[in-house]
Amino acid sequence: MEQTKENKMGTMPVNKLLISMSLPMMVSMLVQALYNVVDSIFVSRINENALTAVSLAFPIQTLMIAVAGGTCVGINAVLSKALGEKQQQKANETAVNGIVLMGISYILFLLVGLFGTRAFYLSQTKDAQIVQYGVEYLSIVCSCSIGLFAQFTFERLLQSTGRTFYIMITQGTGAIINIILDPVFIFGLFGMPRMGVAGAAVATVTGQIIAGTFALLINYKKNDDIQIKFKGLHLEREIVGQIYKIGVPSMIMQAIGSVMTYGMNLILISFTSTATAVFGVYFKLQSFVFMPVFGLNNGLVPILAYNFGAGRRDRFIKALKCGILYAVSIMFVGLVIFQTIPQVLLGFFEASDEMLRIGVPALRIICLSFLPAGFGIVCGTAFQALGNAVYSMIVSIARQLVVLLPAAYLLSLLGNVNYVWWAFPIAEVMSLTVTIIFLIRINRRVIRYIDTDR
């Protein structure tokens, strides 16, 4: 069916549009950050080894999110551009192909959950209790990740068509369920068996499955910009290629984060397991700063892609400028909080004196990277929306593998764990430089000609 009406992404005032699309995403991302932190807060009540085990699981969880998120970046950009170009059939086929690709991705992590978790933990530590806790936790998270993949996919279909308010509802529902179930399953409340760290995993996947199911139902009932039909289903090579052309660089970028986290865990655990726990706690806490920016980005992607497809250079540039301003402002707030009250933040995790000794300088040093990171994240989104996600991939590889990990290793040789944290701002300054160079280049080659493409 030919689309006859103009989507709001091509008509609504840009600043109002960005706020209306991003604010629900930012709220839902904050709720997501809250349940991630609450998860670890409850786990820390078991003991520090339990907190360390959950922290060591982060590389695999990051990899899982990388595959889901990267694929969805591709789906989002291709689908939104098709809508901007009034190609309704292509938009429908993109949605269906994306759903099938997510099902295939889940099967891969099901196998990891069934057969790979023990080897993964033994590669990082020989502490029997940490390994036991970790295998219990990660086996469940991976084997039951169908909810995570469904949630990512169906929420991004809503995002691609500008229905971000519904995403706030689905993510909020999943997060609230997780927060409620965490203490029930971990500590065995209301007659439930005490499950420990496994209970945290069960609470997480339960929230994801419910949220994913909810998002699926909303797409069928409320999303009339696309029609999802599986009759005569087959993967379209051209569409799959376009999805992965944009999505794979994003996937690699996030997967590099998994490699970086794994490498940092190995470096830090050579000092003490407490340093690894601090690193895990940092990632939980920084999500309160980065998640709203990612929510902003999720609202920005379809706006940029739609107006690129529609040949609206003025709206594209204004949306990009607004995105950068809001992202850097959010990061500045985070910087102030991390600098002024690190003891309070760590106190939520039952921080021992040793954890405070390591954690306070860690938070104050790492947060110096927040401002350039905000700028870089939004520019990376623009690269992806323009079909040049490889730029973002290059920046991410350079930051995390070429600079951050080698710098962290070299600084660790000085024998003081506090020096290791300086690798983060060092890497971010390099990243900012490369991002600016790429932004100038893509402006000269693509952005300045958007109007003339029509």
Side-chain angles (χ1 to χ4, degrees):
M1 180 180 70
E2 187 68 26
Q3 181 173 324
T4 56
K5 65 178 181 178
E6 179 76 8
N7 190 285
K8 69 178 181 179
M9 289 185 286
T11 59
M12 185 182 291
V14 171
N15 192 52
K16 181 179 178 181
L17 175 64
L18 180 58
I19 292 173
S20 69
M21 289 189 62
S22 297
L23 194 58
M25 297 294 296
M26 293 166 72
V27 171
S28 65
M29 287 288 194
L30 275 172
V31 175
Q32 292 279 320
L34 176 63
Y35 94 70
N36 283 333
V37 169
V38 169
D39 210 46
S40 291
I41 288 175
F42 283 125
V43 167
S44 69
R45 265 51 177 184
I46 300 173
N47 56 47
E48 191 173 294
N49 276 349
L51 180 60
T52 300
V54 172
S55 299
L56 291 176
F58 200 70
I60 293 294
Q61 291 178 289
T62 303
L63 184 61
M64 193 156 46
I65 292 172
V67 173
T71 304
C72 282
V73 165
I75 295 169
N76 204 340
V78 174
L79 198 156
S80 294
K81 187 169 184 286
L83 290 175
E85 294 171 339
K86 307 298 187 291
Q87 297 185 39
Q88 184 65 55
Q89 183 62 30
K90 182 177 180 180
N92 296 341
E93 291 175 351
T94 300
V96 173
N97 278 259
I99 293 168
V100 176
L101 293 175
M102 280 304 192
I104 296 171
S105 300
Y106 162 65
I107 293 173
L108 295 177
F109 283 94
L110 170 63
L111 296 175
V112 172
L114 294 175
F115 305 111
T117 55
R118 182 168 295 275
F120 171 73
Y121 270 93
L122 288 173
S123 71
Q124 298 179 89
T125 179
K126 303 304 178 185
D127 187 302
Q129 188 178 54
I130 293 176
V131 171
Q132 178 188 342
Y133 284 148
V135 171
E136 291 176 9
Y137 179 82
L138 194 56
S139 295
I140 296 171
V141 168
C142 289
S143 299
C144 301
S145 59
I146 182 65
L148 179 144
F149 284 103
Q151 186 177 353
F152 260 89
T153 304
F154 294 113
E155 285 178 352
R156 293 310 179 269
L157 294 182
L158 293 170
Q159 174 190 331
S160 298
T161 55
R163 292 167 171 81
T164 54
F165 175 76
Y166 292 116
I167 301 176
M168 181 177 68
I169 296 175
T170 58
Q171 288 194 348
T173 300
I176 291 170
I177 289 171
N178 188 355
I179 292 170
I180 293 172
L181 293 181
D182 258 331
V184 175
F185 290 154
I186 292 173
F187 304 115
L189 305 181
F190 308 114
M192 294 296 295
R194 182 183 178 93
M195 301 174 67
V197 291
V202 172
T204 295
V205 299
T206 300
Q208 290 169 346
I209 290 171
I210 292 174
T213 303
F214 197 8
L216 167 62
L217 294 175
I218 292 175
N219 268 287
Y220 270 105
K221 293 186 176 296
K222 300 292 185 180
N223 196 351
D224 55 7
D225 277 330
I226 54 174
Q227 292 82 45
I228 302 173
K229 298 178 180 178
F230 292 98
K231 185 177 180 180
L233 171 67
H234 64 282
L235 290 176
E236 293 282 350
R237 179 181 298 180
E238 181 180 353
I239 291 176
V240 172
Q242 291 176 355
I243 289 173
Y244 280 134
K245 179 184 177 182
I246 298 172
V248 166
S250 177
M251 202 181 298
I252 292 174
M253 272 192 312
Q254 295 180 68
I256 288 167
S258 176
V259 175
M260 181 276 292
T261 307
Y262 182 79
M264 285 296 296
N265 283 339
L266 293 179
I267 291 170
L268 293 170
I269 209 166
S270 68
F271 287 95
T272 169
S273 63
T274 301
T276 306
V278 166
F279 187 51
V281 166
Y282 159 73
F283 263 103
K284 299 291 184 178
L285 291 172
Q286 61 92 33
S287 64
F288 277 106
V289 183
F290 281 80
M291 283 295 195
V293 176
F294 293 147
L296 174 72
N297 263 19
N298 286 337
L300 183 62
V301 166
I303 297 173
L304 294 177
Y306 184 98
N307 286 285
F308 174 46
R312 296 292 305 275
R313 178 175 176 271
D314 56 331
R315 292 176 62 82
F316 182 97
I317 292 177
K318 187 169 183 179
L320 179 59
K321 288 181 177 178
C322 288
I324 292 173
L325 174 63
Y326 292 143
V328 173
S329 298
I330 292 168
M331 289 294 191
F332 178 75
V333 173
L335 171 66
V336 171
I337 293 172
F338 273 59
Q339 284 290 336
T340 54
I341 56 169
Q343 299 94 333
V344 176
L345 298 177
L346 291 165
F348 290 121
F349 299 86
E350 297 288 301
S352 62
D353 291 341
E354 178 69 1
M355 181 175 283
L356 288 171
R357 184 185 68 81
I358 297 174
V360 168
L363 297 189
R364 284 179 170 157
I365 293 169
I366 298 176
C367 74
L368 298 175
S369 64
F370 284 2
L371 294 183
F375 178 86
I377 290 169
V378 175
C379 289
T381 297
F383 299 157
Q384 293 165 358
L386 292 168
N388 286 267
V390 68
Y391 286 175
S392 299
M393 182 180 69
I394 292 171
V395 172
S396 187
I397 291 173
R399 180 178 66 247
Q400 300 188 74
L401 298 187
V402 177
V403 178
L404 196 154
L405 271 184
Y409 173 72
L410 292 174
L411 290 168
S412 72
L413 299 179
L414 298 176
N416 187 333
V417 70
N418 288 336
Y419 293 140
V420 176
W421 312 120
W422 283 101
F424 286 88
I426 290 171
E428 210 59 60
V429 169
M430 181 284 305
S431 172
L432 176 64
T433 303
V434 177
T435 296
I436 291 173
I437 293 171
F438 281 151
L439 184 61
I440 293 171
R441 184 175 183 179
I442 204 168
N443 180 59
R444 289 175 177 171
R445 295 187 173 188
V446 181
I447 296 175
R448 66 189 298 182
Y449 298 113
I450 288 177
D451 286 332
T452 61
D453 287 342
R454 293 294 172 271

